[in-house]
């Protein structure tokens, strides 16, 4: 039930008093959509959706084909919320267009139309079909003629019996438009019965027609003939935006025609277009306006060609461009509501109010879809819908019109309590209470009514504007708003302050990386105002917490100076000091230029390479606000330790030069180059390395060093040298030329050593005299030629090994593990060269094959054999040796090692001490049969603070040590034998002498 205008006014007042809008007209959340109900479905009902929100909650009614549905017929209809449930749908009664109406106290809206259709497929009539008789080679069309139906169908044909379906190819085609079977050229294998199968794509029901027999005539074979197009699309075919369009084309003919497609305007097909069923179907998905135009199907065989043409046109249902929105407007105002939609053809418009056609009158007009209502009153409130439609469809846009009437009210839009402005500025005092209709506003300052003058003016929205404010304008301003429903007041207090001025502003600065600067920002401001300083760097607010390592704000309450510590290149830019109060803001800017060492040069390239030079070029990098003064070039090879400064021409490369020649390079070496720029600040980062390049080959220039030799075996000349490093070999195929000659001979003997890593050459020849002088030199060569020889040096040939054995060889046993061997030196001659020493060979038990040996150097004439077994006979022989080898052994001599010393230590050692001596006694040590006889004893003694041990020998089992006992002594006793010293007694500590220690101890 609709509310009266008086009730609406009352509700509007209540809403304003409560500060909220309580009511809302209905708005659709879900609307019904087109539906297809399969006849014979097990489901005995269908639901059409409708749901709307609103306050109060909407109630619903439905229309079918423009007439109200009687919802009291509960056996046929049920309302579930807003949804309409149709029970036991019947195609004769329930087919048509449905609309849902949603209503509450603020008005009614109507949904879009939803069509309910019933899908069914009846059976074919049972009458038999006539036999089709054709000649071989002739084309034929077998008609399907589907039975009564509703809903989309698909077609297929059975050949003879199920499930043998006709397979479509270039000769056979089943049209999904007509259902007919087309055979372009009949062959004997085609003879048989053909049955049309029709399927509903909605219900999946399938029905079969009567078989059509196909037989061949006996009056001959059909000759060849040109194509005859039997399946073609309409001359004009409208297509909806976004739809999938399928055009069919098939021709009869002999030979079987080839089907092709093209656009009549010659434009190529877009990539989305597909050809299907052996070109019998042209498919255009997502149809758009650019797909419109004339299309041609060309059927062609050897007898001729035929063309079918048709035009695709484009249509689009209306689509909203501009919707209407809810409006709240005061009585006596005017409404202008515009809705706009696109579509093809162009849509027309009509308007509904509360679900019914809007009645036009003098103050209510519609033009080009726009609704105008002048001099609004409360009864104009309600739910409005704009409908845009063309022959392909229609769309709805809904909104609520609320016409309100209320006295002025400042509760939602209060005036500012305090406004602060500065002397000389302009200020506007707002007065915008809620009121319908718009109120008249008047102003007072204190108790005085304000009149307009050259500085003071009243604004159209009720506000007050004061220009060129002075201190006299300070005070309380009151706005009184009034309309026919009442009046209300609002106040604002105006405070006038002095303007803020920057007294010391930041200035442009030019600094170097690493310096620290202060950008000043000091102000003069009204003491009534709080002040705030902020800094912006290149437009971004400075974060003093995040950038605290560089930025700090310094100064007093009227200062916002910015200190920048350890300035970096990234700090170059524009700095703005912003000073803000509650009334005004001022700012000042300065440019800070930070100069640093240059950035890396770019694009370093090797333009030309020779054996010892490289021509380089590069591009200038960033100069970081300080011009480049010079460049230097660095080089690196696989053999260098890191990057090394390269020699260039010019030697000094100025900042405007971007090319240089690197000289003094080694041939046939892989180089990388980089460039470093320098300015007044210093040297910058090096460039990226150039690509690796190899210098050209050249004749080697450096001979091997440390040429020497000597040694070797008889009849050998050994020549040695330090190999030339790879970086000095200058090319591939590197090797050595070794030259030598006997001292005093003119001609050189030469040989080649092909391995660059070889450090020696040995020349063998029986004619070489032992230990004779040769002049030698070693040269170099590679694939480019021969290089220089090293300086000539002299080398001795191999010595002659000794030929005489040592004489007067003797062996003497020293202990249980040592034997000393001695001999006389052998006579020496020049050909023997340098005597290196003697080799002493020794073994036991006649096992000469497992002998050991020791060597002594130079002219030594004795050797001590250690680590021998005790009480065992050892045999030994001596021979001399030099670099050429060893001479003959001497005659063999032998000696037997002593027995081992006793393993029993001296026992029961006792001592007695006075101020000057210590008396020791111990038990006698008795050797076993396998041990050497005891010949005496050794007393080892030392002070506890020293490591030097002194020894006293005695043949008794006692000893007297004359010692001043001023500190502790450590004493041990051992038995002595020919086989060495025996085991030691336990250590005895004798403390320094006091009255308490003058007694015997053990």
């Amino acid at each position: 039930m609709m509310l009266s205008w008086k009730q609406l006014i009352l509700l509007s007042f209540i809403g304003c008093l409560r500060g909220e809008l309580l009511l809302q007209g209905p708005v659709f959340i879900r609307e019904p959509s087109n539906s297809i109900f399969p006849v014979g479905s097990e489901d005995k009902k269908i639901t059409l959706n409708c749901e709307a929100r609103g306050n109060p909650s909407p109630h619903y009614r439905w229309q079918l084909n423009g007439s109200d549905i009687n919802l009291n017929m509960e056996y046929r209809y049920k309302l579930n919320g807003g949804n309409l449930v149709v029970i036991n749908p019947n195609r004769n009664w329930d087919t048509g267009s449905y609309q849902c109406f949603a209503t509450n106290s603020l008005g009614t809206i109507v949904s879009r139309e939803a069509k309910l259709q019933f899908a069914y497929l009846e059976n074919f009539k049972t009458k038999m079909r006539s036999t089709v008789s054709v000649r071989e080679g002739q084309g034929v069309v077998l008609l399907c003629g589907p039975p009564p139906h509703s809903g989309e169908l698909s077609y297929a044909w059975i050949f003879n019996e199920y499930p043998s379906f006709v397979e479509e190819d270039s000769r056979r085609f089943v049209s999904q438009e007509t259902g007919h079977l087309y055979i372009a050229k009949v062959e004997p294998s085609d003879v048989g019965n053909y049955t049309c199968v029709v399927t509903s794509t909605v219900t999946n029901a399938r029905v079969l027609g009567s078989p059509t027999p196909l037989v061949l005539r006996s009056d001959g074979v059909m000759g060849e003939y040109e194509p005859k197009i039997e399946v073609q699309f309409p001359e004009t075919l409208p297509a909806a935006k976004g739809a999938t369009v399928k055009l069919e084309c098939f021709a009869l003919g002999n030979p079987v025609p080839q089907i092709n497609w093209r656009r009549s305007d010659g434009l190529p097909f877009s990539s989305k277009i597909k050809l299907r069923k052996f070109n019998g179907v042209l498919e255009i998905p997502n149809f758009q306006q650019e797909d419109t135009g004339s299309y041609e199907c060309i059927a062609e065989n050897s007898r001729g060609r035929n063309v079918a043409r048709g035009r695709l046109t484009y249509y689009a249902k209306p689509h909203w461009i501009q919707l209407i929105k809810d409006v709240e407007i005061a009585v006596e105002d005017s409404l202008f509501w515009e809705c706009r939609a696109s579509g093809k053809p162009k849509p027309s418009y009509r308007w509904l109010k509360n679900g019914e056609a809007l009645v036009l009158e003098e103050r209510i007009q519609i033009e080009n879809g726009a609704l105008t209502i002048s001099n609004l009153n409360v009864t104009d409130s309600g739910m409005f819908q704009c409908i845009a439609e063309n022959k392909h469809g229609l769309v709805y846009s809904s909104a609520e019109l609320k016409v309100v009437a209320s006295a002025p009210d400042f509760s939602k839009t209060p005036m500012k309590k305090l406004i602060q402005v500065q002397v000389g500025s302009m200020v506007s005092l707002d007065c915008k209470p809620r009121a319908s209709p718009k109120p008249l506003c008047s102003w007072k300052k204190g108790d005085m009514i304000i009149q307009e003058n050259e500085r003071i003016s009243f604004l159209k929205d009720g506000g007050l504007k004061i220009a060129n404010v002075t201190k006299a304008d300070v005070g309380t301003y009151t706005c009184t708003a009034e309309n026919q429903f009442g009046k209300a007041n609002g106040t604002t207090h105006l405070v006038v302050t002095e303007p803020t001025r920057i007294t010391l502003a930041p200035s442009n600065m030019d600094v170097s990386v690493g310096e620290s600067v202060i950008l000043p920002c000091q102000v003069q401001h009204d003491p009534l105002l709080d002040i705030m300083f902020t800094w912006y760097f290149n437009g971004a607010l400075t974060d003093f917490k995040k950038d605290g390592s560089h930025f700090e704000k310094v100064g007093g309450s009227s200062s916002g100076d910015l200190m920048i510590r350890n300035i970096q290149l990234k700090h170059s830019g524009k700095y703005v000091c912003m000073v803000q109060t509650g009334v005004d803001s001022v700012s000042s800017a300065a440019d800070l230029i930070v100069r640093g060492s240059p950035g890396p040069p770019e694009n370093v390239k090797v333009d030309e390479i020779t054996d010892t030079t490289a021509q380089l070029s590069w591009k200038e990098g960033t100069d970081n606000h300080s011009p480049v003064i010079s460049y230097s070039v660095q080089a690196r090879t696989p053999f260098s330790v890191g990057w090394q400064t390269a020699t260039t021409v010019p030697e000094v490369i100025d900042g405007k030069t971007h090319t240089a020649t690197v000289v003094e390079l080694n041939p046939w070496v892989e180089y990388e180059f980089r460039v470093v720029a320098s300015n007044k600040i210093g040297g910058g980062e090096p460039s990226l390395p150039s690509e690796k390049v190899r210098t050209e080959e050249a004749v080697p220039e450096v001979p091997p060093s440390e040429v020497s030799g000597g040694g070797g075996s008889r009849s050998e000349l050994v020549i040695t040298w330090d190999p030339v490093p790879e970086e000095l070999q200058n090319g591939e195929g590197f090797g050595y030329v070794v030259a030598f000659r006997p001292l005093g001979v003119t001609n050189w003997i030469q040989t080649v050593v092909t391995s660059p890593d070889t450090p020696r050459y040995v020349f063998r020849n029986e004619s070489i005299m032992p230990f004779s002088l040769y002049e030698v030199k070693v040269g170099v060569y590679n694939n480019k030629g021969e290089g220089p020889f090293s300086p000539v040096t002299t080398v001795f040939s191999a010595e002659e090994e000794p030929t005489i054995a040592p004489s007067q060889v003797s062996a003497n046993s020293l202990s249980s593990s040592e034997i000393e061997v001695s001999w006389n030196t052998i006579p020496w001659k020049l050909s023997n060269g340098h005597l290196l020493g003697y080799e002493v060979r020794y073994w036991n038990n006649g096992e000469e094959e497992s002998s050991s040996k020791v060597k002594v150097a130079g002219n030594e004439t004795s050797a001590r054999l250690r680590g021998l077994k005790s009480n065992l006979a050892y045999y030994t022989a001596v021979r001399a040796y030099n670099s050429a080898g060893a001479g003959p052994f001497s005659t063999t001599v032998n000696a037997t090692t002593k027995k081992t010393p006793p393993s029993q230590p001296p026992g029961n050692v006792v001592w007695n001490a006075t101020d000057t001596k210590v008396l020791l006694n111990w038990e006698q040590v008795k050797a076993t049969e396998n041990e050497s006889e005891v010949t005496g004893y050794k007393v080892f003694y030392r002070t506890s603070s020293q490591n030097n041990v002194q020894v006293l020998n005695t043949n008794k089992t006692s000893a007297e040590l004359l010692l001043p006992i001023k500190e502790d002594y450590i004493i041990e006793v051992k038995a002595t034998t020919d086989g060495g010293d025996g085991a030691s007694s336990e250590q005895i500590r004798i403390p320094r002498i006091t009255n308490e220690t003058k007694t015997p101890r053990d």
Side-chain angles (χ1 to χ4, degrees), residues 627-898:
V628 175
I629 298 173
S630 63
Y631 292 97
S632 62
V633 178
Q634 297 175 347
R636 179 172 68 180
T637 73
F639 316 107
S640 64
V641 180
W643 291 91
Q644 305 294 326
T645 301
T647 304
T648 59
V649 175
E651 185 175 352
V652 177
I653 308 169
D654 64 54
K656 296 181 179 179
T657 301
H658 300 130
T659 61
T661 301
V662 184
V663 298
E664 299 179 8
L665 302 178
N666 291 328
W668 198 241
V669 171
E670 195 174 66
Y671 280 90
E672 292 176 280
F673 301 97
R674 68 181 187 185
V675 181
V676 179
S678 299
N679 58 16
K680 289 182 179 180
I681 309 301
E685 295 181 24
S687 69
L688 293 174
S690 68
E691 290 187 357
K692 293 180 180 180
V693 293
R694 186 182 285 274
T695 48
E696 296 179 352
E697 293 181 284
V699 173
E701 298 178 348
V702 178
S705 60
E706 302 298 326
V707 177
S708 182
S713 301
R714 178 192 289 270
S715 301
E716 287 183 349
L717 175 64
V718 178
I719 302 170
T720 60
W721 61 87
D722 286 347
V724 175
E726 184 180 346
E727 64 266 30
L728 300 177
Q729 293 174 7
N730 291 9
E732 292 187 309
F734 182 84
Y736 302 97
V737 178
V738 181
F740 53 91
R741 63 186 178 187
L743 185 64
V745 176
T746 303
N747 295 328
W748 291 91
I749 302 171
Q750 289 190 352
T751 188
V752 171
V753 177
T754 58
S755 173
D757 299 324
T758 298
R760 69 199 299 265
Y761 172 73
V762 178
F763 176 67
R764 296 180 179 85
N765 195 291
E766 294 298 329
S767 64
I768 295 178
M769 298 298 295
F771 206 63
S772 57
L773 274 175
Y774 278 77
E775 290 181 313
V776 299
K777 60 182 179 179
V778 181
V780 288
Y781 73 93
N782 62 18
N783 290 346
K784 299 294 286 186
E786 293 189 8
F789 277 91
S790 65
V792 176
T793 186
T794 56
V795 173
F796 280 99
S797 64
E799 302 166 341
E800 182 181 32
E801 65 272 15
T803 57
I804 300 173
S807 59
Q808 299 297 316
V809 178
S810 64
N812 182 32
S813 176
L814 301 180
S815 69
S816 62
S817 61
E818 292 183 351
I819 293 176
E820 185 175 61
V821 181
S822 58
W823 57 88
N824 290 340
T825 59
I826 64 171
W828 204 248
K829 55 184 178 179
L830 181 62
S831 63
N832 292 135
H834 302 289
L835 175 66
L836 296 181
Y838 293 89
E839 178 184 296
V840 180
R841 186 178 176 193
Y842 61 97
W843 63 96
N844 59 49
N845 295 329
E847 297 176 358
E848 188 174 351
E849 293 77 9
S850 58
S851 62
S852 302
K853 60 183 178 181
V854 295
K855 286 186 176 181
V856 294
N859 290 318
E860 291 286 335
T861 58
S862 66
R864 184 164 294 190
L865 308 182
R866 293 183 171 86
L868 305 179
K869 295 180 180 180
S870 63
N871 197 27
L872 193 64
Y874 280 88
Y875 301 87
T876 181
V878 184
R879 62 178 178 180
Y881 69 94
N882 61 11
S883 63
F889 276 106
S890 67
T891 57
T892 300
V893 296
N894 65 79
T896 300
T897 54
K898 307 289 187 179

Side-chain angles (χ1 to χ4, degrees), residues 331-335 363 373-377 380:
V331 294
E332 301 178 2
D333 280 354
S334 295
L335 168 70
R363 66 186 188 89
I373 306 177
S374 58
N375 192 25
L376 286 163
N377 58 60
D380 292 323

Side-chain angles (χ1 to χ4, degrees), residues 977-988:
T977 69
D978 291 340
D981 292 342
S984 173
S985 68
E986 292 184 355
Q987 283 189 350
I988 298 171

Side-chain angles (χ1 to χ4, degrees), residues 209-223:
S210 299
T212 300
L214 177 65
V215 300
L216 291 182
R217 289 168 54 175
S218 59
D219 55 350
V221 177
M222 183 77 170

